[in-house]
């Protein structure tokens, strides 16, 4: 049941019984909708299109979790969050899972009491400069004015990088990506820095993407992943293994095209069978249906398909797989076995 | 009689001569109003220069505007290097600007209808000459509007309406005995009926059809600004009156509680209160209640405007001659009676222009919710529209549109306020 | 409870008197109100701690002592990324105060100008000023900040455009540069001076000396006027006293200017006024100026025409009527709302985060909050700061109001 403002008001008055429960899974099932925190708009990762439908790579993870839990990839309520509000939204229970290119750091995991359930994108902070500036390395940026999108780990990495290289810079903190683009394009700053994926997405949306170069330095490790609250391990497991299922599906060659066929009857590969629920009881162990992973993969395809569709080389964003390739292809994606 | 002691006296009146050409008509007007002194002439020339600069920049841009185009790139192609606006963003995205990007497209008629009805509901409040019977519709309006905008089961708003009606009936029955009994009894009745009704009404969700429910985070665009403005101003009026009376009270505890509240709220920027709504307020509710952001923001903005309205009303109370208070006492009226029947009607009348000013300011301040990731008109522009690949780089058209919408609304209200001020000026000058 | 009735004689206190006796009823009410209030606050605080405990969080201000880790572009005191969060907050506080102060000054100038011009005899100017006031009063300040910031970014050239032989932009008069990162103006300094701070102190000392000198000359002129009826011309003497010593100091110590020039990515040298500061400063000034214009107009109109006519009948010259008769009375009406407009400027300066100006909302309530996740602590401190400022300003208003209260005897 959706809580409207009216029932909310009753709750405040202490008149309607509040439906608090420790188990997020039960809450989601009862509600029939997964509340998923996303960005307020970053093309390729999460942004609403002209019809208000959310699309993107992070959105794909949300839809997969919804499909695994509820059997319906559209049973998601996307809650736009800013850098400031995302953690409070998650902590207060407003959202069930936060899939908002959030960097997995020690303090967020330990001090802020969250649980990162995996990494869906290995990123790093990079720099973009206009080509005619003639800069080929970030170490040549002494005295430059740098536009930073606030609310991320970006400011801290940047300060560390310039301090360790003993060069000076002038930071211009900016609230939204759109406003940062205005400043950068108008020449109000020489450099725009944020996660390399975000830079690629931003550059893709320029009128003349060729006029801008991404510098080779990647100054930080930014493992981005979905996160949930501390303390509800069952729910954390569901999100973690849904993500793993997407990654494993690519490794095992399960795609949205052949999944119906593979799931119809046990195949020759026992791991595929366990993943798709035709063998073993993995779904029941999670407290889900046997075809949970099949639903999750069917809604948007496996990890590789999601990547190609939203941010891959054939999209305007044009990101190469790089670190985000399967371990078999020299990347870092390595899912624990489904056993 | 003619006096012959002087040589000549004209005895008949000469016909009037026309005034010299530069002392009448447009020439005189121009001379008096534009070129009266050298300094004045300089000012005129400067003003004409300023107007020319603004118009020469803006007019070609506006007249050359493109109204149909799917994206900025196409629009620039059509313009082919000439100056011109790209109003196509407005025709393409008008629905998002007005209703936000998540409100179901086929349900736009619902907020549209609610907006139209708002005029009928507001009319009897704004214009005293209309029949008083129309106020019944005004009283019903909040429930109709709530149901239209959020949709869902009609039982919720109906229950609230019935509870309030029950409270009012109780109040009217007992207010003649004692105001306190009537008032507090009415409040208790309201809650009792609401609680009992809560168990009775069917707890069904309507997810299909014309009246399906829309969650409040799907609200957005100018609609959100209007809703926040109207809701918060109407909620803050009674609170503001209570605070103003409390601040005037002779009871120290009540007085200082009101003073502290008012000074605290007036002392901090609205933006920090919105941060509170966004990241802090949730912690003050019972665990797990999950009050949604819209309601939290309404609570904070209502507190904010209540403090300002309280100060305006306090001004009205202070402006009343002391004799009015004494007259109430001498008639043997108790505090509630004298306030209700003598003081407040007059004080509120004096305060109306001030209240309207506060309301206009508050309505403008509702744009601040864009800072806490709500997609009101400005939030839509700064977020989804400017971030989309098609329309990034379109600023003037969008901000101009937003400015125009607010100007029309606020200017309209302030003109009304001035009209009202003249209308209410019953004292002799 | 203003009505007073005689208490019933001879009867001792009964419990029902708490409700029925007007002498005691207010105590009953206050006691009830106090208990209800205490319960409500207790309930909220209990909720707060239950919720925090459920999430394993606590309220802890020790993050203020930890290194902030980020840099700030506009700072009035020494600050590096290794400074603490508290120092970052102080930098933000000073920046808030700086932009508020600057905006108060310019908003007053705009407001007084527009307010006086709205009463001008010139029809065109009057209408123009009316349009200015209406447009700015009826559109949200947030939209103005965004529009003005976008204008600044889009219209002014970037430093890059100053470069090369066929540069599309050039420096103003060759000494100042207006870029979309800020305005660079020449920095005056003494070639044979004692160094920055001492030089400034010296100039100030000279100016103070000139001030007292000029006052002495004026006082003497007034004495002569009272004695003889003729006022000696003081203009030339005053000019000499004001500028003579100053020019002498400039010549002796060798006044010189450091001209900003393009070096690397940015202009170097001279005084830099940052773009974000200019944007928020200008936006707040021109927006609040429209409100002040209305105050000024109302204030001048509040002085009855009879006052001007009376002063004229006494033979006071028109210029002095304004300064001796009209203005002192108008100021009584203008100043209280003017100060509350100053308060609004201070509060609206929190919009600086929209343009990337590092005020206290952007440092303490923005980056520090994001990086430490200490939302409650940061917001409480933020509110405390604004509250202190506003209470101080309210105190000023009260003092002023008491000072100018018509002394009726």
């Amino acid at each position: 049941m959706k809580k409207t403002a009216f029932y909310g008001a009753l709750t405040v008055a202490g008149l309607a019984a509040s439906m608090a429960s420790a188990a997020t899974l039960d809450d989601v099932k009862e509600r029939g909708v997964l509340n998923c925190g996303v960005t307020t708009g970053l093309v390729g990762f999460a942004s609403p299109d002209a019809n208000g439908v959310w699309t993107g790579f992070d959105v794909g993870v949300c839809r997969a979790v919804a499909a695994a839990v509820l059997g319906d990839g559209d049973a998601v309520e996307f809650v736009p969050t800013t850098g400031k509000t995302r953690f409070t939204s998650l902590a207060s229970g407003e959202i069930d899972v936060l899939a908002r290119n959030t960097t997995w750091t020690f303090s967020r995991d330990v001090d802020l009491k969250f649980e990162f359930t995996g990494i869906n994108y290995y990123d790093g902070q990079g720099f973009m400069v206009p080509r005619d500036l003639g800069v080929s390395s970030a170490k040549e940026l002494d005295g430059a004015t740098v536009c930073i999108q606030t609310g991320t780990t970006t400011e801290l990495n940047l300060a560390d990088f310039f301090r360790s290289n003993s060069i000076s810079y002038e930071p211009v903190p900016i609230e939204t990506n759109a406003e940062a683009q205005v400043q950068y394009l108008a020449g109000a700053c020489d450099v725009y820095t944020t996660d390399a994926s975000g830079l690629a997405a931003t550059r893709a949306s320029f009128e003349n993407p060729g006029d801008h170069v991404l510098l080779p330095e990647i100054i930080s490790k930014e493992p981005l992943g979905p996160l949930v609250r501390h303390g509800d391990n069952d729910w954390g497991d569901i999100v973690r293994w849904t993500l793993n299922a997407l990654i494993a599906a690519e490794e095992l060659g399960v795609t949205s095209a052949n999944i119906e066929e593979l799931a119809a009857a046990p195949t020759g590969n026992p791991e595929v069978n366990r993943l798709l629920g035709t063998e073993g009881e993995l779904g029941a162990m999670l407290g889900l249906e046997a075809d949970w992973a099949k639903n999750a993969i069917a809604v948007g395809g496996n990890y590789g398909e999601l990547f190609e569709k939203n941010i891959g080389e054939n999209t305007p964003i044009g990101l190469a797989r790089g670190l985000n390739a399967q371990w078999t292809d020299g990347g870092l994606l390595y899912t624990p076995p489904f056993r | 009689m003619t006096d012959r002691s002087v040589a000549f006296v004209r005895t008949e009146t000469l016909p009037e001569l026309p005034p010299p050409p530069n002392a009448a008509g447009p020439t005189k007007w121009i001379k008096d109003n534009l070129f009266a002194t050298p300094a004045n002439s300089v000012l005129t020339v400067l003003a004409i220069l300023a107007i020319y600069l603004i118009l020469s920049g803006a007019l070609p841009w506006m007249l050359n505007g493109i109204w149909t185009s799917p994206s900025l790139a196409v629009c620039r192609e059509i313009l082919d290097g000439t100056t011109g606006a790209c109003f196509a963003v407005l025709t393409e995205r008008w629905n998002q600007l007005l209703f936000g990007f998540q409100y179901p497209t086929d349900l736009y008629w619902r907020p549209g209808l609610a907006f139209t009805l708002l005029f009928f509901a507001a009319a009897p409040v704004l214009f005293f000459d209309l029949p008083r019977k129309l106020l019944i519709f005004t009283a019903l309006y909040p429930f109709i509007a709530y149901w239209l905008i959020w949709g869902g089961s009609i039982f919720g708003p109906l229950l609230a309406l019935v509870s309030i009606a029950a409270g009012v009936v109780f109040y009217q029955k007992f207010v003649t005995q004692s105001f306190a009994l009537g008032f507090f009894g009415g409040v208790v009745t309201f809650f009792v009926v609401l609680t009992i009704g809560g168990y009775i009404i069917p707890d069904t969700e309507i997810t299909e059809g014309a009246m399906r429910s829309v969650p409040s985070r799907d609200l957005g665009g100018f609609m959100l600004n209007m809703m926040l403005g109207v809701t918060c101003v109407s909620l803050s009026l009674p609170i503001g009156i209570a605070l103003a009376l409390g601040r005037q009270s002779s009871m120290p505890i009540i007085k200082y509680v009101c003073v502290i509240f008012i000074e605290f709220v007036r002392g901090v920027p609205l933006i920090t209160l919105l941060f509170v709504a966004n990241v802090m307020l949730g912690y003050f509710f019972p665990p797990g209640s999950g009050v949604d952001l819209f309601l939290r923001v309404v609570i904070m903005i209502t507190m904010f405007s209540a403090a300002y309205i309280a100060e305006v009303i306090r001004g009205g109370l202070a402006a009343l001659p002391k004799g009015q208070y004494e007259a109430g006492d001498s008639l043997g009226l108790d505090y509630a009676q004298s306030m209700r029947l003598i003081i407040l009607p007059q004080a509120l009348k004096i305060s109306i222009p001030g209240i309207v000013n506060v309301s206009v300011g508050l309505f403008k301040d509702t744009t601040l919710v864009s800072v806490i990731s709500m997609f009101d008109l400005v939030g839509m522009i700064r977020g989804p529209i400017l971030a989309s690949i098609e329309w990034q780089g379109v600023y003037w058209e969008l901000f101009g549109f937003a400015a125009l919408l607010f100007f029309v609304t606020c200017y309209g209200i302030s003109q009304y306020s001035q009209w009202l001020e003249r209308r209410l000026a019953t004292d002799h000058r | 409870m203003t009505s007073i009735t005689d208490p019933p004689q001879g009867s001792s206190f009964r419990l029902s008197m708490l409700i029925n006796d007007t002498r005691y009823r207010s105590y009953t009410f206050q006691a009830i109100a106090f208990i209800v209030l205490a319960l409500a606050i207790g309930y909220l605080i209990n909720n707060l701690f239950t919720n925090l405990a459920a999430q394993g969080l606590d309220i802890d201000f020790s993050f203020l002592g930890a290194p902030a880790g980020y840099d700030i572009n506009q700072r009035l005191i020494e600050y590096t990324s290794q400074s603490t969060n508290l120092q970052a907050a102080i930098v933000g506080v000073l920046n808030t105060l700086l932009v508020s102060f600057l905006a108060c000054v310019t908003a007053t100038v705009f407001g007084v100008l527009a307010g006086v011009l709205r009463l001008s005899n010139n029809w065109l100017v009057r209408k123009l000023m009316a349009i200015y006031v209406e447009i700015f009063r009826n559109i949200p300040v947030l939209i103005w900040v965004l529009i003005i910031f976008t204008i600044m970014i889009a219209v002014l050239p970037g430093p890059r455009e100053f470069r090369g032989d066929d540069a599309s932009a050039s420096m103003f008069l060759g000494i100042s540069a207006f870029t979309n990162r800020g305005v660079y103006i020449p920095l005056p300094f003494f070639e044979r001076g004692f160094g920055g701070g001492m030089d400034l102190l010296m100039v100030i000392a000279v100016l103070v000396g000139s001030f007292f000198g000029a006052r002495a000359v004026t006082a003497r002129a007034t004495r002569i006027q009272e004695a003889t009826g003729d006022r000696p011309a003081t203009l030339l003497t005053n000019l000499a006293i004001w500028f003579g010593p100053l020019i002498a100091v400039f010549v002796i110590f060798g006044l010189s200017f450091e001209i900003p020039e393009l070096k690397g990515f940015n202009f170097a040298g001279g005084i830099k006024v940052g773009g974000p500061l200019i944007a928020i400063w200008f936006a707040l000034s021109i927006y609040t100026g429209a409100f002040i214009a209305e105050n000024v107009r109302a204030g001048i109109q509040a002085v009855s025409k009879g006052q001007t006519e009376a002063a004229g009948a006494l033979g006071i010259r028109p210029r002095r009527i304004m300064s001796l008769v009209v203005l002192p009375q108008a100021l009584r009406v203008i100043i209280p709302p003017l100060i509350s407009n100053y308060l609004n400027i201070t509060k609206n300066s929190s919009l600086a985060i929209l343009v990337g100006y590092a005020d206290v909302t952007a440092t303490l309530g923005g980056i520090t909050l994001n990086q430490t996740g200490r939302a409650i602590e940061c917001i409480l401190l933020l509110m405390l700061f604004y509250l202190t400022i506003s209470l101080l300003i309210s105190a000023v208003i009260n003092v002023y109001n008491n000072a100018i209260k018509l002394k009726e005897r």
Side-chain angles (χ1 to χ4, degrees), chain C residues 233-400:
Chain C
T234 55
L235 184 69
L236 281 180
T237 341
N238 264 339
L239 280 180
I241 289 180
W242 273 111
F243 290 102
L246 203 60
I247 294 174
V249 167
F250 287 166
V251 171
I252 292 167
F253 292 100
L255 180 71
S256 173
F257 290 95
E258 186 183 272
I259 311 283
E261 54 182 329
L262 196 56
K263 264 190 196 151
F265 294 100
N266 277 312
F267 280 90
I271 301 174
K272 180 194 176 184
V273 189
L277 170 63
I278 294 176
I280 186 83
W281 173 15
F282 184 69
L284 287 180
S285 314
I286 197 159
Y287 177 78
T288 318
F291 288 82
I292 294 179
E294 283 297 272
N295 296 340
V296 170
R297 185 175 71 122
I300 294 179
Q301 281 179 334
V303 181
S304 91
K305 204 153 193 305
Q307 297 284 331
T308 321
E309 290 166 352
L314 288 177
I316 307 178
R317 273 169 296 158
R319 208 160 49 88
R320 293 181 80 83
I321 292 180
M322 196 63 182
S323 60
L324 292 179
V325 178
V326 178
L327 269 187
Q329 299 185 63
L331 281 183
R332 192 191 296 276
V333 182
I334 293 173
I335 286 189
L338 185 69
I339 297 179
S340 79
N341 271 319
Y342 289 166
L343 182 55
N344 284 339
I345 287 185
T346 313
K347 290 196 282 179
N348 281 337
S349 72
S350 55
L351 292 176
I353 48 169
L354 292 176
V355 299
Y357 178 72
D359 77 328
V360 65
T361 313
T363 57
L364 179 67
I367 306 179
T368 297
L369 191 158
N370 287 333
Q371 300 301 350
T372 60
R374 296 276 172 197
I376 296 179
E377 295 89 336
C378 287
I379 291 177
L380 281 180
L381 286 176
L382 197 59
M383 292 205 290
L384 190 69
F385 162 71
Y386 282 111
L387 203 59
T388 316
I389 296 288
S390 100
L391 289 181
L392 279 179
I393 295 183
S394 299
V396 172
I397 299 185
N398 285 339
V399 168
Y400 178 81

Side-chain angles (χ1 to χ4, degrees), chain C residues 2 23 25-26 33 37 43-44 80 83 91 95 111 124 160 164 242 258 282 284 338 348 358 367 370 372 374 393 406:
Chain C
T2 38
R23 287 172 303 167
R25 192 156 59 184
S26 76
L37 195 74
Y43 174 69
L44 292 178
T80 67
S83 307
V91 170
N95 283 343
L124 193 63
R160 233 173 289 157
W242 273 111
E258 186 183 272
F282 184 69
L284 287 180
L338 185 69
N348 281 337
I367 306 179
N370 287 333
T372 60
R374 296 276 172 197
I393 295 183
L406 281 180

Side-chain angles (χ1 to χ4, degrees), chain B residues 177-189:
Chain B
Q177 290 182 20
S178 149
F179 176 79
L181 175 64
F183 182 76
F184 292 109
V187 171
V188 171
T189 317

Side-chain angles (χ1 to χ4, degrees), chain A residues 28 47 105 119-120 126 140 158 173 197 209 249 268 318 337:
Chain A
V28 174
S47 65
T105 65
I119 294 164
N120 68 341
E140 297 166 26
L158 190 70
S197 60

Side-chain angles (χ1 to χ4, degrees), chain C residues 167-223:
Chain C
S168 56
S170 58
M171 291 175 73
F172 180 70
L173 299 179
I175 51 169
S176 301
F178 293 86
T179 75
N180 56 8
R181 289 180 199 174
V183 171
Y184 300 82
I185 52 174
L187 170 73
F189 70 99
F190 289 131
E191 282 172 0
R192 297 179 290 275
F194 310 108
M198 285 300 290
D199 289 344
L200 191 65
L201 278 182
M202 185 170 65
V203 170
I204 291 175
V206 168
L207 284 177
V208 168
S210 301
F211 171 76
F212 284 109
R215 245 186 42 173
V217 169
T218 314
R220 182 172 154 270
T222 311
R223 263 203 318 279

